[in-house]
Amino acid sequence: MIYDALLGDPAVDEHLSDDAHVDAMLQVEEALARAQATLGLIPESAADVITDSTREDEYDLDSLAAGAAKAGNLAIPLVQALTANAARRDPVSARYVHWGATSQDIIDTATVLQLRAAVSLVADSLARAADAAAELAERHATTVMAGRTWLQHATPITFGLKAAGWLAALDRVHERVEFALDDAMFLQFGGASGTLGSYDDRGLELTALLADGLALRQTNIPWHAHRDRLADLACALGVAVGTTGKIARDISLLSQTEVAEAFEPAEEGKGGSSAMPQKRNPVGASVVLAASIRVPGLVATMLAAMPNEHERALGGWQAEWETLPQIVHLAGGAARHTAEMLAGLEIDAERMRANIDLTQGVSLAESASMALAEHIGRFDAHRVIGDASRRAIAEHRPLADVLAEAPDVMKHLSREEIARLLTPGNYLGSSATFIADALAAHATYRDVD
Amino acid sequence: MIYDALLGDPAVDEHLSDDAHVDAMLQVEEALARAQATLGLIPESAADVITDSTREDEYDLDSLAAGAAKAGNLAIPLVQALTANAARRDPVSARYVHWGATSQDIIDTATVLQLRAAVSLVADSLARAADAAAELAERHATTVMAGRTWLQHATPITFGLKAAGWLAALDRVHERVEFALDDAMFLQFGGASGTLGSYDDRGLELTALLADGLALRQTNIPWHAHRDRLADLACALGVAVGTTGKIARDISLLSQTEVAEAFEPAEEGKGGSSAMPQKRNPVGASVVLAASIRVPGLVATMLAAMPNEHERALGGWQAEWETLPQIVHLAGGAARHTAEMLAGLEIDAERMRANIDLTQGVSLAESASMALAEHIGRFDAHRVIGDASRRAIAEHRPLADVLAEAPDVMKHLSREEIARLLTPGNYLGSSATFIADALAAHATYRDVD
Amino acid sequence: MIYDALLGDPAVDEHLSDDAHVDAMLQVEEALARAQATLGLIPESAADVITDSTREDEYDLDSLAAGAAKAGNLAIPLVQALTANAARRDPVSARYVHWGATSQDIIDTATVLQLRAAVSLVADSLARAADAAAELAERHATTVMAGRTWLQHATPITFGLKAAGWLAALDRVHERVEFALDDAMFLQFGGASGTLGSYDDRGLELTALLADGLALRQTNIPWHAHRDRLADLACALGVAVGTTGKIARDISLLSQTEVAEAFEPAEEGKGGSSAMPQKRNPVGASVVLAASIRVPGLVATMLAAMPNEHERALGGWQAEWETLPQIVHLAGGAARHTAEMLAGLEIDAERMRANIDLTQGVSLAESASMALAEHIGRFDAHRVIGDASRRAIAEHRPLADVLAEAPDVMKHLSREEIARLLTPGNYLGSSATFIADALAAHATYRDVD
Amino acid sequence: MIYDALLGDPAVDEHLSDDAHVDAMLQVEEALARAQATLGLIPESAADVITDSTREDEYDLDSLAAGAAKAGNLAIPLVQALTANAARRDPVSARYVHWGATSQDIIDTATVLQLRAAVSLVADSLARAADAAAELAERHATTVMAGRTWLQHATPITFGLKAAGWLAALDRVHERVEFALDDAMFLQFGGASGTLGSYDDRGLELTALLADGLALRQTNIPWHAHRDRLADLACALGVAVGTTGKIARDISLLSQTEVAEAFEPAEEGKGGSSAMPQKRNPVGASVVLAASIRVPGLVATMLAAMPNEHERALGGWQAEWETLPQIVHLAGGAARHTAEMLAGLEIDAERMRANIDLTQGVSLAESASMALAEHIGRFDAHRVIGDASRRAIAEHRPLADVLAEAPDVMKHLSREEIARLLTPGNYLGSSATFIADALAAHATYRDVD
C-alpha cells in the first residue's frame, strides 16, 4: 500500500507482507512433514520432497488469492499448490502433504511466526525510543519549562521531568509488549476439531516435536476458538501506541508556532507543504497521532471477534486475519517515528524559560499560596493569591508587584521571600529525584532485558 | 492484499487501489489546470501540457510511496513528479502545475471521486441483495417455519416474512448509503488555509468551474478540517454492513447441521475444509460476519478522527486515509456476498416445517394462552399454559395431549379448538400483509431509484 | 450518576432516567389498552382500569430492577406490577394488561418515545450553538488571525471564517440529527415473533391505532431484529459530537497560555484548580472533548450489536439498552457546552493580530511565492521563497528584509509589492464570501427548520 | 441504574457507586492528613479534625454533583465541603485540608482504591467460573459430542474437552486480570504539575508514607498524563469479557431448540417471556454476550483517551471517569453470570450423542479419509471420501453404506474397519490428555493463587 512507507516501519512490514505470510505457512508445512517423518508417521523421503517443494518460488500470490476467494481461507489453495508441486517431484510423497492437519493450524501457527519476527522489531523501536528519552531526561534535568495542565500554564517543571515521564512509560509498554509477545508464542495444532483425532494416540508426540522444530511453545490444548493470547498482544500494542500518541501530542503542542520549544528533527525535504514554501510540518507526530487514533478501533475489533463459535469460528477468526497485522504495522510505524523524533528532538531551552515569563509569575501562584497558607490557611491563601493572580493577569502586571500591594500578603511575606517563591527554579520539588529514579530504573531494565 | 478477492468485491476494489488513488489525483490536477486555463489564470498551452503529463504511465508507485514517506502526504511527491513530467515537455508550462492548490485539496477531491465510483457499486450490490430478498419473500410467503427469539423456538413465522424483514432493511440501508454518498460529493478546494488566498478574488469562479469539470458539487466553504460528510458516509456504510451481518447470522444459524433449513448456494470447490472432506463451509456468511465485526471499529476511527485541529489537522486527517477505503472495501465484500447468498439461497421448506414439530406444539403455547385468556385472563392463562408446556417438554409429549388432561383448559376449549390453535399455519397473524407491503414498497423504491 | 450534571444536559437527561423509562413503558401499555378497547379487543372498562393503574406512583424502581435481574428484561416485572395494580382495582380488567404484546414491543416503543423527547433537545442545543457561531462569524468577519495547519502557522484567515466553518458544520449535523430522529420515530409492535399472531387478522388495525395514539409512525413490518434506524440515529449523534469536538479542540488550542486568542466564558468559580489559585480551566472544552473521545466507541457498539439473531436477539438487543441513552446523554452535554462556549466566547482580536506577526511575514510566504511564480514558475518560486523563509526564521528577521536581499526576487517584485503581499489582510481570498454564504445558508435553514 | 442488578454484580457495583467514589476520595484526604501530621507538615490536631470530618455522613451527593458541574471535577467541591466540615470543628485545622495536593491526585488514587476492591471480586468470579468449568471437564471427560466448526458438524469431541478449553482460557484471563490489577495499584501523588513542588524537598518522604497508609505502591514518578496502567487493566478485563463471551456463545448455541445439549440452570421465574408462556430464555448468556459486545468499544475509549496533553490532560482524563468503572461493572456481570451458568449447567449427554448421528457418519469422514490416505494418499482419499460423503448427505444414507459400494474404498478397508473408523468414541485423539492437562494446570494454579 502506498502509505506503508510513511505510516509503518519497512523492517516490520517485511514480516507482514503476503509473501511473508505464505512463506510462514510453507515453513509450518515443512516442519510438520519433518516432524511426522521423524515419528515415522510419513516416509522420510516424503518429508524431503515436501521440504523441497516448500523452498521454491512456485507460489503465485494471485492464484492463491483466487483460490482463497473460493475456499474461504488461504491454507486450502496453498496446500493444493504444495501438493501439486510435490506431485511433480514424486506423486507418492505428495500424498503426505498437510497430513492430518487443518487449515487453521497452519494459518494460526504461521501468524505466530510472523508476529515473533515483526513484534520483536516493534519492541526494539520502543526500546530505542526509551533510550532517546533517557538521554533527553538526563541532558535536560535542569532545563526549566512551564508545566501545563488543561492546556494552561501550571507550576514549572523541567523538560527532563517530562522526558523522564515518557521514558518510564516507554519502558513499561516495552515490557508489556515483550511479555505479551512471549505469551503468544504457542504452536497451534489440533486438527479438525482440536482433538488431534487424525493422529490417534501419537498426536502429542507430534505436537511436541513440531513445536520444537518451530521453536514455539507446545500448547496443552488447541486454541482455535480461544483467542485471548492474540487479543492480549493486540492490547499490549494498543497501549504502547497510546503512549507514543501521548509523546507525539506533547511534541506537536511544543512545536506550535507560538510555543516553539521543541521540534522534530529537520531533514531535507521532510514535512514540506505543497502550498506554503516555509512549512516544516511535524510529519512524525502526525503519523504517530494518526496511529493512536486508528489502533483503538482495531483493538476493539480483536476483542469483539473473541466470542468464537464452538471449535472453530464463523466470522470471528476471519475478522482477525487483517486486523492483527494492521495493528502490528501501525504500532511499528508509531514506535519507529517516536524513536526518530526523540533521537533528534531539537530543544529550545531559552524559549522554554521565556514562555514561563509570559504569565509574569502567575504560574507560580501555588508557591506563594502554599507559603501564605502556613500563616492563614490553605483556603484563605488560595483565595487571596487567586484574587491577586487574576488582577495581575487583567492588568498585565507581574504577580510580585500586585502582591506587594496586598496587605494580607505583606503582613506575612517579605518582598524577598516573594521573589524567591516566584522563581521557577525554586519550585521544582522532587523533579530531580524523579528523573534520577527513572534513569536508574531504565538502566537496570535495559541491563536485564 | 491476498485476502482482497475473498473479503472484497473486485469491482469495488479496483477504485480503491493505489493506482486508482494516483489516477484520481492526476485527474484533479488536470481538471484544475483546465479550469485555470479557461479563466486565464494560466496559459491554455500549459493546461495542455499538464493534461498530457497526467495521462501517461510515468508514475511509479514505489517512488511516490518513498516520496510520501518523506513529505508526509502523497500529493507532494505526485506534484513533483507531475511537474517533472511536464517540464520534460515544456519547462514553462510546468510552472503552472498545482497552481495555488494545497495537498489536501487534491487528496480529498481524489478521494471523493474514488468514493463516487466505489460506493455506487456497493449500493448496486445492496440493491441486488434486496432484489434477491424480494424474490425469496414472494416465493416463500407461505413457507411456515419456526420463529426464533433468544435462539429458542417462538411462535411460527413464514420464511417469506424473514426475507421481507431482510428486504425492508436492505432497501433502507441502500437508500441511506446513496443519500450519504450524494451528500459527500463535494469538491474540496480552499488552498493553504481554506481561504483561496492564492487566487485573490477569482477563487470562487475557479472553484465553480473546477467542480463543474469534475461533476462535483461546489462547497460554499472548504471542509479541510470538517469531516462530517465523510464520517456520515462511513456511518451509512457501517449501518449497511450491520444489516448484512444480521442476514448472514440468520443464514449461518439456519444452515447449522441440526437446523438445516437454508444453505448458501453450492459451488464446486467452495467452502471446503483441508481436513474434513465432507465439509461445505458457509464461506459467504463468514466473510459478511467478519466484516460486521471489523467495520464498527473502523467507523469509530472515522468519528474519533473528527476533532481536527484548526484549518488542517495533525493526525485526524491522516487517520482517515486508509480507514475510509477499508470501510468501503469491507462493505463492498459484505454487500456482494450477501447478494450472492440471497440470490442462490437453498431453502428446505420441509425441514422448516419439521423443525417446528420438534417442540410438539409448545412453540404455539401463546396461541393457546391467548385463546384461554379470553376466558380466565392473560395472567392466569399464561401460568396454566406455561405449566402445561413445561410438562409437555419434560415428558416429551405433544402439548395438545397435556392440555387435554387439564380441566382448567378443557373447561373452556375443545380438543378441536386446541388442534386448530396449535396448527402453525393458523397463527401467522399479519405475516402475509407485512410481506406484501415490503414487496410493494420495494417495487416503488426500485422504480424511483 | 455524580458526573451527569457536568457531562450532560439536565434537560436531556431528564428523559433518559430510569423513571422516564418506566413512565414511557407505562405510557405504551396505556395506549395499547386504549387502542384495544377502541377496537373492541378488550372491554372499555379494562382500558380505564389499566389507564388508572399506569398513572400512579406505585412503581418501585428497586423492585423492578430486582425483577429485571431475574426475568432478563424490564417489561416482564413492569407488566407484573401493572397487572397487580390493576387487579387491586378490578381483577377482571387486570386480565387485559399487555394483551398480546411482547416485552420488546414495549421497551422499544418506550425507547423511541424517550428519544423523541431527548434528542429534540440535543438538536435544539446544536441549533443554539449554530446561532452563536453565526453571530461570531458575522461579528468577526474581518478579524484577521493566523491560519494554522498541522499546528503551524499558515496563511492568514479571519476568525469569522473559522466561526463560519463551525457554523456550516453545526447546521449540517443539526439537519442530520433531526432527519435521523424523524426516521426513527416508528412504533415497534409485532408480538412474540413479529407476526402480530395473537391478534389474528386485526393486528394492523390495532397497530395503526396504537401508532396514532402515540403519534408515532406505523411500521409496515416489525423491526425487533433490524436495528438500522437506531444505529443510524446513534451515528448522526456521533457525527454531531465529532463536530463539537472539533470546535472544542479549536477553542482549547486558542486559549492556551501562549496563544491566548479565545476563551470560554468566565463564570465565578468555574474551572478552578484545587492546587493553583490562578487557574481558569477550560471546563466546557474538556467536557466536549471527553465526549468526542467516548462516543465513537459507543457508536461502534451500536453497530457491532446489529447482527441480531433471527426474530429477536440474544445479546445484541440487550447491548443497546444502556448504550443508546449514553450516546444521547453525552451528545446532550457536548451540544449544551458547545452552545454555551460559543455564546460567551471571549475573543482577543489584538492578540490574534499580534500572533500573526510572530513569524514576521513568513506565514505569508505563499503570497510572495504565488506572485513570484507568475515570473519564474511555481516550482522555482516555491524553492526561492522557501529558502528565504527558512533564513528569516533562522535569523529571526522579517521575511521582507530577507527577500529584499534576494536578487531573484527583487528582479521581479518591488519592496512595495512585497509589503503588500505580506500584509495579512490582503491575502484573505474568498473568506468574506465564504462567511456571507454560510450566514445566508444558516438564515435560510433556520427559517425553514 | 435500573439494569445494574441484571447486567452487573451487586458486590462489584457496590465499590463503583457514587458513594463509594466519594468515600474513597475522603479516605485519601484522611490518609494524606495523617501522613502529613506524621512528618510534621501539618499539626497532629489538624489531622485529627480532618479525620473526624471525613468520617461522617455530611456529604450530599447532589450538591457535590452541582459543584463538579461548575468546577470541572469532583475533588474541588469535595475539598470545599471537607474544609467547611472541618472548619465547623476547628477553623485553624481546616486550613490544612488537601495540603499541597491537586484534584487529580485525589481522584486517581481514589479510583485505584476502588479498582482494588471491585476488580478483585471480578477476578473471584472468574476463578469460580474456572472451578465450575473444571468440574464439567472432569465429569464429562468421556461425554462424546459433535465437534462444530464454521457452525457445521466436524469430527467428534467430548464435552469435557470443550469445558477444558473454557477452563484453560478462564485461568489465563484470571491470571492476566490479577496481574494487571496488581500492576495498577500505584499511588497517584504529584501536586499541580507532578513535581511535588509544594512540598519542597519533603515530597518523597510524604509520598512514601501516604502510599504506605493506603497500602499502595509508591510510584517513582506521577502518572497524571500516563494512563498505560489503567488502559492495561481495562484491556485485561476486555480480554476476560471476550472469553466469557465465547463461553456464553457456545452455551447459547448448545441450548437452541434444535440442538438442546446444554442449558443454563433453571430457576423459578427466570428467563420468562411476557408473550410466550413456555419460554425459558437464556438470560445469563444474553447478559454475557451483551457485555462482550459493549466492552470492546469501552476499551477502545480507554486507549483513545491515552494521548493526554502535557502534565495533565484536557479531555482524555475526563473520558476515563465513567468508562473504566463501566468496564469493571460489565466485566463483573459477565464473570458472575458465567460462573453461575457453568456451576449449574444442565447437560443432556444423550442428546449430544444423538446429534452426532444426524449426519450418519459423515462427520467422521476425516477418520475414513486418513485411513484411506495411507493407501492412496491424502489428496485422493480426501476426494473419494468427500464424494461419498456428499452422496450420503444427498441420499440421506449412512456413510458406511455408501462407502460399502465404493470399490476404491473397499479395496483397502473392510466393513469392520469402516465401522470402527466411523465410531465417534474411537476418533477422539488426545482429548483425554488435553483435559487432564488442563485440570492439572488448574489445580496447580489455584494452589499457588
Side-chain angles (χ1 to χ4, degrees), chain B residues 16 57 82 84 91 104 129 140 143 160 180 182 262 264 270 343 364 368 397 404 432:
Chain B
L16 303 173
D57 290 344
L82 173 57
Q104 193 172 348
H140 292 284
T143 305
D182 185 59
E264 291 191 21
K270 192 166 171 193
L364 281 140
R397 298 169 58 203

PDB file of all heavy atoms in Angstrom, chain B residues 16 57 82 84 91 104 129 140 143 160 180 182 262 264 270 343 364 368 397 404 432:
ATOM      1  N   LEU B  16     -10.298   1.459  -5.392  1.00  0.00           N
ATOM      2  CA  LEU B  16      -9.667   1.769  -4.105  1.00  0.00           C
ATOM      3  C   LEU B  16      -8.172   1.489  -4.112  1.00  0.00           C
ATOM      4  O   LEU B  16      -7.496   1.681  -3.106  1.00  0.00           O
ATOM      5  CB  LEU B  16     -10.325   0.928  -2.995  1.00  0.00           C
ATOM      6  CG  LEU B  16     -11.839   1.084  -2.843  1.00  0.00           C
ATOM      7  CD1 LEU B  16     -12.357   0.065  -1.829  1.00  0.00           C
ATOM      8  CD2 LEU B  16     -12.208   2.494  -2.415  1.00  0.00           C
ATOM      9  N   ASP B  57       1.720   6.780 -18.281  1.00  0.00           N
ATOM     10  CA  ASP B  57       2.063   5.821 -17.233  1.00  0.00           C
ATOM     11  C   ASP B  57       3.458   6.105 -16.673  1.00  0.00           C
ATOM     12  O   ASP B  57       4.289   5.209 -16.566  1.00  0.00           O
ATOM     13  CB  ASP B  57       2.035   4.405 -17.817  1.00  0.00           C
ATOM     14  CG  ASP B  57       0.627   3.979 -18.137  1.00  0.00           C
ATOM     15  OD1 ASP B  57      -0.310   4.631 -17.633  1.00  0.00           O
ATOM     16  OD2 ASP B  57       0.475   3.001 -18.874  1.00  0.00           O
ATOM     17  N   LEU B  82       4.658  15.138 -11.388  1.00  0.00           N
ATOM     18  CA  LEU B  82       3.877  15.741 -12.469  1.00  0.00           C
ATOM     19  C   LEU B  82       4.614  16.950 -13.050  1.00  0.00           C
ATOM     20  O   LEU B  82       4.682  17.133 -14.271  1.00  0.00           O
ATOM     21  CB  LEU B  82       2.494  16.145 -11.936  1.00  0.00           C
ATOM     22  CG  LEU B  82       1.563  16.943 -12.851  1.00  0.00           C
ATOM     23  CD1 LEU B  82       1.304  16.211 -14.162  1.00  0.00           C
ATOM     24  CD2 LEU B  82       0.233  17.222 -12.141  1.00  0.00           C
ATOM     25  N   ALA B  84       7.817  17.441 -12.982  1.00  0.00           N
ATOM     26  CA  ALA B  84       8.976  16.941 -13.738  1.00  0.00           C
ATOM     27  C   ALA B  84       8.538  16.413 -15.107  1.00  0.00           C
ATOM     28  O   ALA B  84       9.176  16.687 -16.125  1.00  0.00           O
ATOM     29  CB  ALA B  84       9.679  15.840 -12.936  1.00  0.00           C
ATOM     30  N   PRO B  91       9.213  23.303 -20.066  1.00  0.00           N
ATOM     31  CA  PRO B  91       9.556  23.819 -18.728  1.00  0.00           C
ATOM     32  C   PRO B  91       8.681  24.989 -18.309  1.00  0.00           C
ATOM     33  O   PRO B  91       8.347  25.112 -17.121  1.00  0.00           O
ATOM     34  CB  PRO B  91      11.014  24.254 -18.884  1.00  0.00           C
ATOM     35  CG  PRO B  91      11.532  23.463 -20.033  1.00  0.00           C
ATOM     36  CD  PRO B  91      10.371  23.256 -20.958  1.00  0.00           C
ATOM     37  N   GLN B 104      -4.021  18.905   0.410  1.00  0.00           N
ATOM     38  CA  GLN B 104      -5.271  18.292   0.862  1.00  0.00           C
ATOM     39  C   GLN B 104      -6.408  18.518  -0.129  1.00  0.00           C
ATOM     40  O   GLN B 104      -7.309  17.690  -0.235  1.00  0.00           O
ATOM     41  CB  GLN B 104      -5.637  18.815   2.252  1.00  0.00           C
ATOM     42  CG  GLN B 104      -6.746  17.979   2.890  1.00  0.00           C
ATOM     43  CD  GLN B 104      -7.011  18.317   4.331  1.00  0.00           C
ATOM     44  OE1 GLN B 104      -6.254  19.029   4.978  1.00  0.00           O
ATOM     45  NE2 GLN B 104      -8.109  17.797   4.850  1.00  0.00           N
ATOM     46  N   ALA B 129     -28.948  -7.452  -3.620  1.00  0.00           N
ATOM     47  CA  ALA B 129     -29.316  -8.265  -2.450  1.00  0.00           C
ATOM     48  C   ALA B 129     -30.794  -8.065  -2.123  1.00  0.00           C
ATOM     49  O   ALA B 129     -31.510  -9.023  -1.810  1.00  0.00           O
ATOM     50  CB  ALA B 129     -28.436  -7.890  -1.259  1.00  0.00           C
ATOM     51  N   HIS B 140     -41.623 -17.529  -0.820  1.00  0.00           N
ATOM     52  CA  HIS B 140     -41.852 -18.268   0.409  1.00  0.00           C
ATOM     53  C   HIS B 140     -42.838 -17.576   1.336  1.00  0.00           C
ATOM     54  O   HIS B 140     -42.745 -17.691   2.557  1.00  0.00           O
ATOM     55  CB  HIS B 140     -40.516 -18.505   1.117  1.00  0.00           C
ATOM     56  CG  HIS B 140     -39.641 -19.454   0.367  1.00  0.00           C
ATOM     57  ND1 HIS B 140     -39.859 -20.803   0.361  1.00  0.00           N
ATOM     58  CD2 HIS B 140     -38.567 -19.242  -0.448  1.00  0.00           C
ATOM     59  CE1 HIS B 140     -38.949 -21.395  -0.391  1.00  0.00           C
ATOM     60  NE2 HIS B 140     -38.154 -20.473  -0.913  1.00  0.00           N
ATOM     61  N   THR B 143     -44.346 -20.293   3.287  1.00  0.00           N
ATOM     62  CA  THR B 143     -43.495 -21.366   3.812  1.00  0.00           C
ATOM     63  C   THR B 143     -43.338 -21.190   5.318  1.00  0.00           C
ATOM     64  O   THR B 143     -42.589 -20.336   5.782  1.00  0.00           O
ATOM     65  CB  THR B 143     -42.104 -21.312   3.128  1.00  0.00           C
ATOM     66  OG1 THR B 143     -42.282 -21.365   1.714  1.00  0.00           O
ATOM     67  CG2 THR B 143     -41.228 -22.449   3.600  1.00  0.00           C
ATOM     68  N   GLY B 160     -40.963 -16.318   4.201  1.00  0.00           N
ATOM     69  CA  GLY B 160     -41.201 -15.089   3.450  1.00  0.00           C
ATOM     70  C   GLY B 160     -41.165 -13.866   4.343  1.00  0.00           C
ATOM     71  O   GLY B 160     -40.666 -12.807   3.942  1.00  0.00           O
ATOM     72  N   ALA B 180     -26.091   9.387   1.627  1.00  0.00           N
ATOM     73  CA  ALA B 180     -24.840   9.869   2.226  1.00  0.00           C
ATOM     74  C   ALA B 180     -23.759  10.045   1.170  1.00  0.00           C
ATOM     75  O   ALA B 180     -22.933  10.956   1.254  1.00  0.00           O
ATOM     76  CB  ALA B 180     -24.373   8.901   3.319  1.00  0.00           C
ATOM     77  N   ASP B 182     -24.266  10.806  -2.012  1.00  0.00           N
ATOM     78  CA  ASP B 182     -24.605  12.018  -2.740  1.00  0.00           C
ATOM     79  C   ASP B 182     -24.214  13.253  -1.928  1.00  0.00           C
ATOM     80  O   ASP B 182     -23.665  14.225  -2.446  1.00  0.00           O
ATOM     81  CB  ASP B 182     -26.110  12.021  -3.027  1.00  0.00           C
ATOM     82  CG  ASP B 182     -26.505  13.198  -3.880  1.00  0.00           C
ATOM     83  OD1 ASP B 182     -25.962  13.304  -4.998  1.00  0.00           O
ATOM     84  OD2 ASP B 182     -27.318  14.023  -3.444  1.00  0.00           O
ATOM     85  N   ALA B 262     -31.660 -23.725   5.549  1.00  0.00           N
ATOM     86  CA  ALA B 262     -31.251 -22.876   4.427  1.00  0.00           C
ATOM     87  C   ALA B 262     -29.746 -22.998   4.263  1.00  0.00           C
ATOM     88  O   ALA B 262     -29.011 -23.166   5.249  1.00  0.00           O
ATOM     89  CB  ALA B 262     -31.638 -21.416   4.689  1.00  0.00           C
ATOM     90  N   GLU B 264     -26.226 -21.621   1.890  1.00  0.00           N
ATOM     91  CA  GLU B 264     -25.597 -20.817   0.841  1.00  0.00           C
ATOM     92  C   GLU B 264     -25.555 -21.622  -0.447  1.00  0.00           C
ATOM     93  O   GLU B 264     -25.451 -22.840  -0.413  1.00  0.00           O
ATOM     94  CB  GLU B 264     -24.156 -20.490   1.233  1.00  0.00           C
ATOM     95  CG  GLU B 264     -24.032 -19.543   2.379  1.00  0.00           C
ATOM     96  CD  GLU B 264     -22.591 -19.069   2.526  1.00  0.00           C
ATOM     97  OE1 GLU B 264     -21.826 -19.146   1.558  1.00  0.00           O
ATOM     98  OE2 GLU B 264     -22.264 -18.606   3.620  1.00  0.00           O
ATOM     99  N   LYS B 270     -16.161 -24.722  -3.318  1.00  0.00           N
ATOM    100  CA  LYS B 270     -16.354 -23.602  -2.401  1.00  0.00           C
ATOM    101  C   LYS B 270     -16.576 -24.103  -0.971  1.00  0.00           C
ATOM    102  O   LYS B 270     -17.359 -25.001  -0.731  1.00  0.00           O
ATOM    103  CB  LYS B 270     -17.565 -22.780  -2.836  1.00  0.00           C
ATOM    104  CG  LYS B 270     -17.631 -21.451  -2.094  1.00  0.00           C
ATOM    105  CD  LYS B 270     -18.589 -20.491  -2.737  1.00  0.00           C
ATOM    106  CE  LYS B 270     -18.789 -19.268  -1.853  1.00  0.00           C
ATOM    107  NZ  LYS B 270     -19.924 -18.480  -2.306  1.00  0.00           N
ATOM    108  N   ALA B 343     -29.228 -14.618  -3.609  1.00  0.00           N
ATOM    109  CA  ALA B 343     -29.646 -14.999  -4.960  1.00  0.00           C
ATOM    110  C   ALA B 343     -29.687 -16.511  -5.133  1.00  0.00           C
ATOM    111  O   ALA B 343     -30.509 -17.040  -5.893  1.00  0.00           O
ATOM    112  CB  ALA B 343     -28.712 -14.369  -5.990  1.00  0.00           C
ATOM    113  N   LEU B 364     -46.341 -23.001  20.056  1.00  0.00           N
ATOM    114  CA  LEU B 364     -47.605 -22.301  19.830  1.00  0.00           C
ATOM    115  C   LEU B 364     -48.365 -22.063  21.125  1.00  0.00           C
ATOM    116  O   LEU B 364     -49.574 -21.754  21.118  1.00  0.00           O
ATOM    117  CB  LEU B 364     -48.459 -23.074  18.830  1.00  0.00           C
ATOM    118  CG  LEU B 364     -47.965 -22.814  17.392  1.00  0.00           C
ATOM    119  CD1 LEU B 364     -48.002 -24.069  16.566  1.00  0.00           C
ATOM    120  CD2 LEU B 364     -48.791 -21.697  16.770  1.00  0.00           C
ATOM    121  N   ALA B 368     -52.553 -20.845  22.328  1.00  0.00           N
ATOM    122  CA  ALA B 368     -53.485 -21.416  23.293  1.00  0.00           C
ATOM    123  C   ALA B 368     -53.708 -20.459  24.455  1.00  0.00           C
ATOM    124  O   ALA B 368     -54.830 -20.291  24.953  1.00  0.00           O
ATOM    125  CB  ALA B 368     -52.940 -22.752  23.797  1.00  0.00           C
ATOM    126  N   ARG B 397     -44.032 -35.046  25.398  1.00  0.00           N
ATOM    127  CA  ARG B 397     -45.359 -35.326  24.848  1.00  0.00           C
ATOM    128  C   ARG B 397     -45.880 -34.098  24.105  1.00  0.00           C
ATOM    129  O   ARG B 397     -45.487 -32.976  24.391  1.00  0.00           O
ATOM    130  CB  ARG B 397     -46.335 -35.681  25.960  1.00  0.00           C
ATOM    131  CG  ARG B 397     -45.936 -36.931  26.728  1.00  0.00           C
ATOM    132  CD  ARG B 397     -46.791 -37.060  27.982  1.00  0.00           C
ATOM    133  NE  ARG B 397     -48.215 -37.108  27.662  1.00  0.00           N
ATOM    134  CZ  ARG B 397     -49.194 -36.779  28.523  1.00  0.00           C
ATOM    135  NH1 ARG B 397     -48.887 -36.357  29.748  1.00  0.00           N
ATOM    136  NH2 ARG B 397     -50.452 -36.851  28.166  1.00  0.00           N
ATOM    137  N   ALA B 404     -55.143 -31.664  27.037  1.00  0.00           N
ATOM    138  CA  ALA B 404     -56.370 -32.460  27.093  1.00  0.00           C
ATOM    139  C   ALA B 404     -56.614 -33.008  28.487  1.00  0.00           C
ATOM    140  O   ALA B 404     -57.733 -33.394  28.844  1.00  0.00           O
ATOM    141  CB  ALA B 404     -56.297 -33.602  26.080  1.00  0.00           C
ATOM    142  N   ALA B 432     -48.622 -12.209   6.059  1.00  0.00           N
ATOM    143  CA  ALA B 432     -48.817 -12.052   4.615  1.00  0.00           C
ATOM    144  C   ALA B 432     -48.874 -10.579   4.217  1.00  0.00           C
ATOM    145  O   ALA B 432     -48.297 -10.167   3.205  1.00  0.00           O
ATOM    146  CB  ALA B 432     -50.101 -12.772   4.188  1.00  0.00           C
TER     147      ALA B 432
END
